[in-house]
Amino acid sequence: MTDEKRRPRPAAQYGPIAKAVAENVERIRKARGMTIYSLSGELDKVGRPIAPSAIAKIERQQRQVPVDDLVALAVVLNTSPAALLLPSVWGDVPVELTSERQVAARTAWRWIRGLSPASDYGVIPSEIVVGPDDDSWEDELDRKYWQMRQDYDAVTLPPELRRVRQHPASRDVDAANLQVERLVRMVGGKAGDEAFEDQLSRARSAVDRLATELERLPEERERIKADRARRQAQAEGSDG
């Protein structure tokens, strides 16, 4: 045997997400009132056996979790894989996705739920010049966000879901959600009254746009039904 073959394998490198997985498995297991033995038994039932000793090693960050094990753990713990992958924090708390990539917790959670890219669009980009009493940067920021979202969705979502997400009503839902999230963060934050009232107005406008778009859906549905019926009639006429 050569020296190279006898060389020991390097220890597994544990990054920030592996640490989060270990902490979340233990946290959620205990919240479910499960021991490592009962968790092991449930994993065996779903066809992904993991020994109690292996579960203990996962929680001590001594064993990596393959993706199939991660999904099985999420199934048995009745949670989302996302809940195992990210630290249980929110807001502007920084979250490490890799040793060189850090984003706000709110961004990380939107990203892992497939809602938006892993980019902190809530920070004023350096190329946007902000003058006194100028809030136009927020509109420019939202425009840049939608550009990122379109590119992100193109390679992330199944075609049918992508089509649904691109519908104006779906876009307005997401826009309203973003504005309301900003508003709710300000409720317990240090923003002044004027900034809060401005954000409240933005949130209301986003909700109003959503309501308007929802009112258009019945008309759109009838138009699609009519187009379908016309195409069917044309097809039957050509067959005859």
Side-chain angles (χ1 to χ4, degrees), residues 92 184-196:
D92 294 321
V184 172
R185 289 201 304 273
M186 294 174 75
V187 170
K190 299 180 180 179
D193 292 342
E194 185 176 348
F196 179 80

Side-chain angles (χ1 to χ4, degrees), residues 111-122:
W111 165 69
I112 208 161
R113 289 158 55 204
L115 297 176
S116 63
S119 302
D120 279 330
Y121 52 86

Side-chain angles (χ1 to χ4, degrees), residues 29 34-43 50-53 55-56:
R29 173 180 65 78
M34 303 175 75
T35 66
I36 58 174
Y37 298 97
S38 60
L39 177 56
S40 176
E42 293 301 315
L43 286 163
I50 303 178
S53 59
I55 295 174

Side-chain angles (χ1 to χ4, degrees), residues 120-148:
D120 279 330
Y121 52 86
V123 179
I124 303 175
S126 59
E127 67 270 19
I128 298 179
V129 178
V130 181
D133 302 322
D134 180 14
D135 62 1
S136 62
W137 65 269
E138 292 199 14
D139 296 325
E140 175 67 6
L141 201 57
D142 288 339
R143 184 184 67 79
K144 288 179 177 293
Y145 164 71
W146 289 113
Q147 289 177 341
M148 289 191 301

Side-chain angles (χ1 to χ4, degrees), residues 172-173 175-177 179-180 183 200-214:
D172 284 343
V173 167
N177 185 52
Q179 297 294 350
V180 170
L183 179 65
L200 178 60
S201 177
R202 286 175 174 271
R204 284 173 172 162
S205 296
V207 172
D208 288 344
R209 286 194 297 271
L210 171 59
T212 299
E213 193 58 46
L214 291 178

Side-chain angles (χ1 to χ4, degrees), residues 196-230:
F196 179 80
E197 288 298 326
D198 179 66
Q199 185 55 40
L200 178 60
S201 177
R202 286 175 174 271
R204 284 173 172 162
S205 296
V207 172
D208 288 344
R209 286 194 297 271
L210 171 59
T212 299
E213 193 58 46
L214 291 178
E215 291 297 324
R216 294 174 180 160
L217 291 180
E219 181 181 346
E220 180 181 343
R221 174 180 167 82
E222 292 304 316
R223 185 174 64 253
I224 292 173
K225 287 169 60 178
D227 288 345
R228 187 180 297 126
R230 184 171 58 255

